[in-house]
Amino acid sequence: MRSTEEVVKSLREALVGTGVVLPSLRVDPVTAASEEPFALVDLGRCNVRTAERLASVLRGEEPLVGAHVVDVRDGRVGEVMGHVG
């Protein structure tokens, strides 16, 4: 099993490809200092727009026209102008 730090890093990288950013994503400092073998992942707080986008991604929906997204190829931020196909 991977360490909590590796899982947090992996989740952060996976979220970049969806256009979802959880600014407070981190290893929970309280459980990290305990004797538990694995610390908890603190997903943190986010605004309503981020929560709505995360729910949409989890449902497998395409981003809405006008939404801001991150291009997974080069990290550029853009606006969805439409969908093809």
Side-chain angles (χ1 to χ4, degrees), residues 45-66:
R45 299 166 48 191
C46 65
N47 62 34
V48 172
R49 179 175 286 165
T50 300
E52 184 176 48
R53 176 70 187 123
L54 180 56
S56 176
V57 166
L58 292 172
R59 288 190 297 264
E61 300 170 353
E62 293 181 329
L64 297 173
V65 172

Side-chain angles (χ1 to χ4, degrees), residues 2-65:
R2 297 184 297 170
S3 72
T4 306
E5 291 85 1
E6 291 171 321
V7 171
V8 167
K9 181 181 178 195
S10 175
L11 177 56
R12 186 174 286 119
E13 290 169 354
L15 287 171
V16 167
T18 67
V20 175
V21 177
L22 297 175
S24 304
L25 178 62
R26 65 184 180 155
V27 175
D28 175 61
V30 174
T31 57
S34 73
E35 294 184 21
E36 291 295 321
F38 295 100
L40 296 175
V41 174
D42 187 350
L43 299 176
R45 299 166 48 191
C46 65
N47 62 34
V48 172
R49 179 175 286 165
T50 300
E52 184 176 48
R53 176 70 187 123
L54 180 56
S56 176
V57 166
L58 292 172
R59 288 190 297 264
E61 300 170 353
E62 293 181 329
L64 297 173
V65 172

